[in-house]
Amino acid sequence: MTESFTNSIRILDIKYGTSVDGIGLRTSLYCAGCENHCIGCHNPQSWDEKGGEEIKVEDLFHLILEADMNITFTGGDPMLHPEGFIALAKMIKEHTSKTIWCYTGYCFEQIIQHPMRKALLELCDVLVDGPFILEEQDFSLPFRGSKNQRIIDVQSSLKDSTINLYNVSM
Ligand code: SF4
């Protein structure tokens, strides 16, 4: 694990009070870097992992605390370099009761095979997984762009060793 990825995250944007990145009003962190390069990606400018601004994990934590909202990690792809997000998610879970949603182009099954990505997964409440597939695009879907993407209840899925979908009508 490199020191840089552990202590900081390259951030493209922070949005407060967004309602499109998960249930309720959330603080969304948009990180730089994605290697999935989905055709039709809504945000190809996020693919460059050197984009955005490097922000210390501790500073991000304090920015998050200022807003009384739950958290979403998105991008780019937070699972590309999960180290900083692991450190941030640990602080969030240790000091707050905020829920964490994470968006990624990797599938749940791929993530659990990768030790660092699995470590981040274990700190999340909900994972929206899989690449955006243009042929499966559906504007009516809440919180995702294409039908193949799943909204997964992470903790119950890890416990049951199967995919349990998250009920977005809750
Ligand atoms: S995973 Fe998301 S950010 Fe990455 S290319 Fe696909 S749609 Fe774009």
Side-chain angles (χ1 to χ4, degrees):
M1 189 187 300
T2 70
E3 198 58 22
S4 168
F5 286 139
T6 309
N7 294 336
S8 61
I9 301 171
R10 289 205 74 89
I11 294 291
L12 292 168
D13 198 8
I14 302 175
K15 282 201 186 345
Y16 296 97
T18 177
S19 59
V20 295
D21 296 332
I23 298 277
L25 296 180
R26 314 186 69 85
T27 301
S28 287
L29 301 186
Y30 293 81
C31 69
C34 182
E35 62 179 11
N36 294 299
H37 296 190
C38 309
I39 295 166
C41 170
H42 61 294
N43 197 13
Q45 62 274 25
S46 71
W47 294 355
D48 180 4
E49 62 184 81
K50 294 190 178 68
E53 178 194 355
E54 192 160 333
I55 304 182
K56 286 197 174 119
V57 166
E58 214 172 287
D59 294 341
L60 285 169
F61 178 63
H62 289 296
L63 287 172
I64 281 170
L65 278 189
E66 281 170 20
D68 184 21
M69 295 171 204
N70 291 307
I71 313 299
T72 296
F73 297 160
T74 186
D77 196 327
M79 289 285 177
L80 179 61
H81 296 298
E83 296 85 349
F85 281 105
I86 292 170
L88 180 58
K90 277 185 182 164
M91 284 184 197
I92 293 168
K93 289 299 175 186
E94 209 171 308
H95 299 289
T96 81
S97 58
K98 295 177 189 296
T99 61
I100 301 174
W101 280 47
C102 181
Y103 281 75
T104 179
Y106 305 102
C107 293
F108 185 95
E109 293 82 352
Q110 296 171 303
I111 290 168
I112 57 174
Q113 301 301 324
H114 185 291
M116 294 308 296
R117 289 176 186 153
K118 185 167 183 238
L120 174 55
L121 181 73
E122 286 170 346
L123 292 159
C124 295
D125 298 280
V126 174
L127 184 80
V128 185
D129 84 334
F132 170 73
I133 297 178
L134 192 55
E135 294 75 21
E136 299 198 33
Q137 178 170 274
D138 184 342
F139 292 113
S140 70
L141 297 170
F143 310 128
R144 60 208 159 115
S146 59
K147 285 183 193 139
N148 61 295
Q149 294 169 318
R150 301 169 295 185
I151 303 176
I152 297 171
D153 182 330
V154 172
Q155 297 305 320
S156 90
S157 298
L158 289 172
K159 184 164 158 277
D160 298 347
S161 299
T162 190
I163 301 284
N164 291 325
L165 296 180
Y166 184 78
N167 183 359
V168 291
S169 60
M170 282 193 300

